[in-house]
Every structure is written in structure tokens, then in C-alpha cells.
């Protein structure tokens, strides 16, 4: 879909208008209602439309001077519209237009006040949500669900053009990055292997010459001493990869922001085998890796004036005669020894080596890891908030703010020393799990042992990176690409 800005409506386009529960309209709605001799007011009076949030009603117009049709979109109560309401009504409008096979539309939903959000925010968010509403992953379906809506213009005032143009570019880039992350996440694991992720990184670099790539194979990792990653990959026939991306848009000597993304392309639990029902959805265990690649795509599109590195440990976690076992002891790249209590706590094992490699190779200003790390975070926060832990409160605050700015929110969990007691081992420096209680926090405590010399934050996206609402309703979400790109925008002063 082509997104654009316009200061006036196109007579050939369907016009999207908001209507509130009290029957009131925004400026464009009032103008059209006046031109149509009170048609919209009459529809409300007759209770044909209610203004309930997300309710859509197509209207054929009577005059020839205006659009051939309008779509009335319920917005709820005018003084109570929240970001989630705005998402709901945009999604409903775009999906309704597409189902009606409308090819081009002008949206006046930018006129709706959403709390204290600026017009630029509304334009940016409208772009993101509109593209998300039309997202498809039907590569393997013999019958495709077509996208009919090809053009969408967001209506703005002339005085707002400069800010709106920047906002539209940002929203489009974020949507493209999130869609790319979703595409990677939705691929089946027989396609999306560690080698496939490395190949897709090459495709990304070809599309954006500002991105550089280095891929370490198992031989290189063994030479470095990455015993934790190599321990996890032992049971798989698929070779592990360490994918390293670099984007240099800032000052030559400026320390980069580093993103480390968990790339378990399928997680059986290893010899600590998952139950069959819990194995469905484990292709999404590489959504941290997909997020890193999605963020790189968005940053390169926007040509942000920052330095950014991404480190992706890509591995399968499989059972078998060669696979690592509970009570094995691994020696990590840092030299820290790890007793394996559960082979299903593998994400932290590959991340700890990646974090150490990141510190030694890039000396980052900050490092943020992204991982579908624990089922415990889903129990704690559900599917709405990403779990955030950090050893630096200023960094945590910046990420929390970016989450609010983007409406891709996180919630901070504590990393008190008290929890470190749970991951003690009688045989090694540390155990890879601390039991069921506070499972997300003890996983964060484990990672904190490898980030003592860095400003570090951990995002546990097990509940937010994919929708897991049953066997027939599963889809990667692209989160937390919006939060992280917003963080980088804020970081770059953009």
C-alpha cells in the first residue's frame, strides 16, 4: 500500500471520517455533513450508526462534488480516546475498506484527538497501524487473501506538512521493519534455520549498503571459546551461526548502540523435552533475532545518524545422543562456568556468549538484548507488556519512555541481589536456571553476570513477540521493533 499526505481530499477516493458516540464530528465530517444536507446527522439520529469505537458504516454520497463514498468510523467518547482505541478504529477502517475492495481512500482520522498526542504522533501511528492491518503471510497458501487497498492519503493542514512528512517517513519505516521481523518469525523452522537467517542478513546488506555483515561459523566460535553456544547446538544437524551486523551513520569514533537478539530457530527443549502442545509456537523462539534485523531495516531506511551493531546467535535446540544434558557443565566465552540444570533454559546460554563477544568486539555505549526468554514473563505480564530488566536505571527509563512514545510498552522488573541466590551451583560458577519462582527475573540475573562492565538492558518478549491464541490463530507481531526504533530516534535526537 502506498501511504501519502494530502491537504485536500481527492474526489475519486473514499473518505474515512470519524463519528463519536454523541454524534459529534471532526472538521472534515462537519464539512461533508453540511454538503450532504445533514446525511450523517440523520444516520446517527436514526441509530443507523452509533459511534461505538471500531464500528464502520459505508455511505454512498448524494452530491457529485464530493467523494463517491464515505466510511463512517466509530470513535467512542470524544474525551476518552486512548492509543488502544485509535489503533482499534484505524485497523477497523482499513480492514473494512479492503473487504469492500476499495482501492484508494483519504483518511481524516488524523483529526481525532488522542489524549495529548501531537498530530505528528497521530500520522506516524496511523501509518504503522494501517500497514499492519494489511499484513499478510500467505507464502505457503494456495489461495491468497488479496490486498485491494492500494493508496491511502492522510489528511493534514498545510501548516503541519513539515512535521507530518517526517512522521510519515518514520511510521512507514517502522512498519516496514516490523513486517520484515514478522516475515522472518512466521517462516516455518524447516525453512528458517540458522543458515537461512545468515542468508537473509546477506539480502538485507545487499539492499542497504550502509549495513555491513560478518558471520562466524562453529569453527570460529570454537576457536574463540564460545562453549555455551556450542553446547546448545550439539544436538542439532543444523550448524550454528553468529550473525554480526554493523550500521555506521554517526560519528566515526562514537561508541555504538548494540542489540543482541536470541535466534533459537526451533526449541524442542533439548533433552529436557517440551510437551507436544508446548512445542507449537517454538518457531517464534528466534523473534529476538528477527527484531534486530527489523530494527536494522528501519534504521537504514531512515538513515539515522547513529552507530548501531547487532549480534545474533542463531542455533537450533534439539534432543539426541550428541545433545547437551542436565548437569553438564559448560565454559562460556567469558570463562564463567555454567551448570546446566535444564536444557530448555538454552536462550540465556547462547545470549551470554553473544553478550561477551559484543562487549569485547564493539565496546558499545549501551547493549540491549531481546529474547523470547521465559514462559514466566507471560504469566507475570500476559501478552501486553514486554518484561524489562536493566543494570542502568537511565537506560531503563529511556526504554520505558520509548515504549510509551510508540505504544509498544514494557514493564520493569527488579534485579535485586536477593534473586541471585537462586542461580547458585555447587559445581560451577552459576546454574542456568533458578527454578519456577521468579523465573523471568532469575533469567535476567543470569544475563547480568555477563554484563557487569556494560550499560545493559534485557527485554523478555516471550509474551509480546507473537500472538499465541490457539493453533489456528498464531502470528508474529513484530514487537518490539516500534519500541526500539523509537528509542533510537530519541537517542539520535530525531
Amino acid at each position: 500500500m502506498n501511504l501519502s499526505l494530502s491537504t485536500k481530499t481527492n474526489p475519486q477516493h473514499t473518505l474515512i471520517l470519524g463519528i463519536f458516540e454523541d454524534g459529534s464530528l471532526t472538521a472534515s465530517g462537519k464539512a461533508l455533513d453540511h454538503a450532504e444536507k445533514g446525511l450523517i446527522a440523520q444516520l446517527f439520529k436514526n441509530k443507523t450508526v452509533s459511534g461505538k469505537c471500531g464500528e464502520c458504516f459505508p455511505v454512498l454520497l448524494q452530491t457529485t462534488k464530493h467523494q463517491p463514498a464515505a466510511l463512517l468510523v466509530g470513535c467512542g467518547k470524544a474525551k476518552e480516546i486512548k492509543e488502544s482505541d485509535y489503533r482499534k478504529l484505524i485497523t477497523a477502517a482499513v480492514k473494512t475498506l479492503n473487504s469492500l475492495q476499495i482501492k484508494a481512500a483519504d483518511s481524516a482520522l488524523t483529526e481525532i484527538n488522542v489524549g495529548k498526542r501531537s498530530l505528528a504522533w497521530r500520522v506516524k501511528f496511523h501509518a504503522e497501524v494501517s500497514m499492519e492491518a494489511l499484513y499478510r503471510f500467505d507464502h505457503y497458501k494456495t489461495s491468497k487473501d488479496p490486498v485491494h487497498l492500494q493508496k491511502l492519503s492522510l489528511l493534514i493542514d498545510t501548516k503541519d506538512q513539515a512535521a507530518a512528512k517526517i512522521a510519515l517517513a518514520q511510521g512507514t519505516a517502522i512498519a516496514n521493519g516490523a513486517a520484515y521481523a514478522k516475515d522472518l518469525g512466521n517462516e516455518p523452522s524447516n525453512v528458517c534455520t540458522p543458515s537461512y537467517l545468515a542468508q537473509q542478513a546477506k539480502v538485507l546488506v545487499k539492499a542497504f549498503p550502509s549495513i555491513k555483515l560478518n558471520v562466524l561459523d562453529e569453527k570460529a566460535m570454537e576457536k574463540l571459546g564460545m562453549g555455551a553456544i556450542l553446547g546448545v547446538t550439539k544436538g542439532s544437524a543444523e550448524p550454528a551461526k553468529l550473525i554480526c551486523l554493523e550500521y555506521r551513520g554517526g560519528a566515526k569514533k562514537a561508541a555504538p548502540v548494540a542489540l543482541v537478539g536470541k535466534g533459537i530457530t526451533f526449541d524442542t527443549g533439548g533433552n529436557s523435552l517440551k510437551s507436544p502442545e508446548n512445542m507449537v509456537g517454538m518457531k517464534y523462539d528466534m523473534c529476538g533475532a528477527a527484531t534486530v534485523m527489523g530494527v536494522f531495516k528501519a534504521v537504514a531506511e531512515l538513515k539515522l545518524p547513529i552507530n548501531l551493531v547487532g549480534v545474533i546467535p542463531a542455533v537450533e535446540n534439539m534432543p539426541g545422543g550428541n545433545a547437551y544434558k542436565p548437569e553438564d557443565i559448560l565454559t562460556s566465552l567469558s570463562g564463567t562456568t555454567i551448570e546446566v540444570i535444564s536444557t530448555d533454559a538454552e536462550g540465556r546460554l547462547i545470549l551470554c556468549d553473544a553478550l561477551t563477544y559484543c562487549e569485547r568486539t564493539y565496546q558499545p555505549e549501551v547493549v540491549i538484548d531481546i529474547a523470547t526468554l521465559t514462559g514466566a514473563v507471560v504469566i507475570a505480564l500476559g501478552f501486553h507488556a514486554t518484561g524489562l530488566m536493566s543494570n542502568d536505571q537511565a537506560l531503563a527509563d529511556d526504554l520505558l519512555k520509548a515504549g510509551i512514545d510508540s505504544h509498544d510498552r514494557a514493564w520493569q522488573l527488579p534485579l535485586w541481589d536477593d534473586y541471585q541466590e537462586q542461580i547458585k551451583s555447587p559445581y560451577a560458577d552459576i546454574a542456568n536456571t533458578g527454578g519456577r519462582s521468579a523465573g523471568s527475573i532469575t533469567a535476567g540475573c543470569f544475563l547480568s553476570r555477563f554484563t557487569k562492565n556494560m550499560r545493559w538492558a534485557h527485554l523478555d518478549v516471550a509474551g509480546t513477540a507473537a500472538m499465541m491464541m490457539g493453533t489456528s490463530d498464531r502470528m508474529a507481531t513484530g514487537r518490539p521493533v516500534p519500541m526500539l526504533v523509537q528509542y533510537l530516534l530519541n537517542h539520535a535526537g530525531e
Side-chain angles (χ1 to χ4, degrees):
M1 179 176 62
N2 177 262
L3 283 167
S4 62
L5 301 170
S6 182
T7 58
K8 59 182 180 180
T9 59
N10 186 321
Q12 303 303 315
H13 293 185
T14 297
L15 180 60
I16 309 171
L17 296 168
I19 181 169
F20 299 100
E21 284 186 5
D22 61 0
S24 60
L25 302 164
T26 60
S28 294
K30 290 176 182 177
L32 185 66
D33 190 46
H34 177 74
E36 292 291 316
K37 300 179 181 179
L39 173 63
I40 300 175
Q42 190 62 43
L43 288 171
F44 183 79
K45 184 178 180 181
N46 293 342
K47 298 184 178 180
T48 304
V49 295
S50 69
K52 182 180 179 181
C53 188
E55 177 190 77
C56 295
F57 187 81
V59 180
L60 292 176
L61 302 179
Q62 300 170 0
T63 72
T64 58
K65 295 180 181 180
H66 300 280
Q67 274 74 10
L71 182 72
L72 302 181
V73 182
C75 301
K77 297 179 180 178
K79 294 183 179 180
E80 297 181 8
I81 295 180
K82 302 182 289 294
E83 293 88 346
S84 56
D85 299 322
Y86 198 49
R87 176 184 291 278
K88 181 178 180 179
L89 62 92
I90 293 169
T91 300
V94 171
K95 287 189 173 184
T96 299
L97 288 173
N98 192 64
S99 68
L100 294 171
Q101 300 187 19
I102 301 297
K103 293 183 178 180
D106 297 330
S107 176
L109 298 179
T110 48
E111 297 176 343
I112 298 167
N113 290 321
V114 182
K116 296 181 179 179
R117 297 294 193 181
S118 66
L119 172 70
W121 184 92
R122 299 196 300 270
V123 167
K124 175 174 167 287
F125 198 66
H126 198 321
E128 290 180 47
V129 175
S130 298
M131 292 178 69
E132 181 182 22
L134 294 178
Y135 175 79
R136 303 284 188 275
F137 189 83
D138 53 12
H139 306 354
Y140 302 100
K141 285 183 173 285
T142 53
S143 178
K144 311 290 186 183
D145 183 13
V147 174
H148 299 285
L149 185 61
Q150 298 298 317
K151 295 181 180 180
L152 181 62
S153 295
L154 310 184
L155 296 175
I156 58 167
D157 289 333
T158 303
K159 63 181 175 62
D160 299 316
Q161 278 183 298
K165 184 178 179 181
I166 294 170
L168 181 65
Q170 292 176 352
T172 302
I174 290 170
N176 287 337
Y180 182 50
K182 285 190 276 190
D183 281 347
L184 291 170
N186 288 325
E187 285 286 355
S189 63
N190 60 319
V191 173
C192 187
T193 62
S195 296
Y196 177 86
L197 280 181
Q199 183 59 41
Q200 289 304 300
K202 291 179 182 178
V203 173
L204 185 64
V205 168
K206 189 174 181 180
F208 298 99
S210 57
I211 303 175
K212 306 301 179 187
L213 173 66
N214 181 37
V215 179
L216 278 65
D217 60 16
E218 289 185 4
K219 187 175 181 180
M221 287 186 265
E222 185 175 4
K223 186 176 180 180
L224 288 170
M226 293 185 169
I229 290 178
L230 293 172
V232 175
T233 195
K234 280 175 63 178
S236 175
E238 294 288 344
K241 304 290 183 182
L242 189 70
I243 303 164
C244 304
L245 298 162
E246 289 187 64
Y247 168 86
R248 298 285 176 178
K252 188 175 181 179
K253 293 185 178 180
V257 172
L259 304 178
V260 177
K262 176 185 172 185
I264 298 289
T265 57
F266 195 81
D267 180 21
T268 65
N271 280 328
S272 303
L273 195 67
K274 294 179 185 288
S275 62
E277 62 272 17
N278 287 332
M279 228 177 279
V280 175
M282 285 302 106
K283 69 175 187 176
Y284 298 120
D285 215 13
M286 43 64 66
C287 281
T291 294
V292 173
M293 293 174 71
V295 170
F296 265 79
K297 180 178 176 65
V299 166
E301 279 190 20
L302 291 171
K303 299 179 180 178
L304 287 188
I306 60 170
N307 294 332
L308 182 68
V309 299
V311 178
I312 297 169
V315 184
E316 269 191 349
N317 186 29
M318 302 292 284
N322 292 328
Y324 74 133
K325 309 173 295 298
E327 296 187 301
D328 282 359
I329 294 179
L330 307 176
T331 301
S332 68
L333 176 60
S334 70
T336 300
T337 57
I338 304 162
E339 184 184 15
V340 177
I341 301 301
S342 170
T343 65
D344 197 22
E346 83 299 329
R348 65 203 73 181
L349 295 175
I350 68 168
L351 286 172
C352 73
D353 274 355
L355 287 164
T356 301
Y357 180 83
C358 185
E359 178 187 5
R360 292 180 179 179
T361 306
Y362 302 110
Q363 296 83 49
E365 176 190 356
V366 299
V367 60
I368 303 162
D369 77 70
I370 310 100
T372 48
L373 205 62
T374 65
V377 82
V378 184
I379 303 302
L381 299 176
F383 301 101
H384 304 291
T386 290
L388 166 65
M389 284 156 266
S390 181
N391 63 9
D392 184 283
Q393 192 56 47
L395 174 58
D397 290 342
D398 287 344
L399 287 166
L400 291 169
K401 180 181 185 302
I404 293 170
D405 289 346
S406 61
H407 197 59
D408 180 10
R409 295 162 294 177
W411 190 261
Q412 188 172 3
L413 299 171
L415 273 181
W416 300 333
D417 288 342
D418 311 59
Y419 294 105
Q420 296 281 357
E421 295 294 314
Q422 289 178 233
I423 53 174
K424 283 185 173 181
S425 165
Y427 303 110
D429 297 330
I430 189 174
N432 81 325
T433 181
R436 288 177 60 85
S437 62
S440 298
I441 295 172
T442 54
C445 287
F446 179 94
L447 295 175
S448 74
R449 299 287 187 98
F450 301 87
T451 56
K452 292 178 180 178
N453 299 320
M454 295 185 285
R455 294 181 61 209
W456 159 78
H458 162 58
L459 298 176
D460 192 334
V461 295
T464 54
M467 293 185 294
M468 293 294 296
M469 308 305 288
T471 57
S472 62
D473 191 10
R474 290 170 285 122
M475 185 68 67
T477 64
R479 295 179 66 185
V481 170
M483 177 209 295
L484 288 170
V485 176
Q486 187 62 55
Y487 166 78
L488 295 171
L489 286 167
N490 294 347
H491 190 74
E494 304 241 331

